[in-house]
Amino acid sequence: MTGLFDEILDILKAARVNIEQRLELLKYRSLIFVSKLAANLITNIIMSICILLAFLFGTVTLGFFFSDLLNSYPAGFGSLTMLYLIIAIGVFSKRISFIERMLINISIRKLLHKYLDDEHKK
């Protein structure tokens, strides 16, 4: 009877150790996941800021180029404004059906690709 009780205690101790190790593994995996997510977020923010600055400087340059072609600053920057307004109307009319769906799919693929790559490496 004592041998059976000792075996049960050994099994319970082993189960407790197993649960503790699984919790520690879960903690480390979640730490790695959050770290990668934070790094990805910071990288994407920096990249977005750089793209935004390049777009702004490119827009100013294009405005001056149009101004030089038309020999008038108001006409050059006004024509650039009209071009962006036409683009904005086109994007606004197609945003729900095409653009939003495309951006959502790209975001999901990017996150799943990184997550699935990490899972396959394990």
Side-chain angles (χ1 to χ4, degrees):
M1 189 71 165
T2 306
L4 180 64
F5 184 70
D6 289 339
E7 286 182 28
I8 292 174
L9 283 178
D10 289 341
I11 291 172
L12 289 176
K13 286 180 186 177
R16 185 180 62 185
V17 169
N18 187 8
I19 290 172
E20 288 173 358
Q21 288 175 347
R22 286 183 179 264
L23 286 174
E24 191 172 340
L25 180 63
L26 178 65
K27 181 176 75 170
Y28 290 136
R29 282 187 179 172
S30 62
L31 179 65
I32 290 169
F33 180 74
V34 168
S35 299
K36 287 182 180 182
L37 189 64
N40 189 18
L41 183 65
I42 290 169
T43 304
N44 285 341
I45 288 172
I46 290 172
M47 188 175 61
S48 298
I49 290 171
C50 290
I51 289 172
L52 179 66
L53 286 173
F55 177 75
L56 289 175
F57 288 130
T59 297
V60 170
T61 304
L62 191 59
F64 281 120
F65 177 70
F66 285 164
S67 297
D68 188 42
L69 289 177
L70 299 174
N71 294 323
S72 169
Y73 286 120
F77 282 95
S79 62
L80 183 63
T81 302
M82 293 306 290
L83 176 69
Y84 282 151
L85 187 62
I86 291 169
I87 291 171
I89 290 171
V91 167
F92 184 75
S93 66
K94 298 291 183 185
R95 72 182 166 128
I96 294 174
S97 62
F98 179 70
I99 296 171
E100 286 181 356
R101 192 176 329 136
M102 182 181 67
L103 291 174
I104 289 170
N105 287 337
I106 288 171
S107 300
I108 290 173
R109 278 191 206 119
K110 185 175 182 181
L111 287 173
L112 284 179
H113 180 69
K114 287 187 177 191
Y115 178 73
L116 292 177
D117 279 349
D118 292 341
E119 288 296 317
H120 290 302
K121 289 179 184 176
K122 293 177 184 175

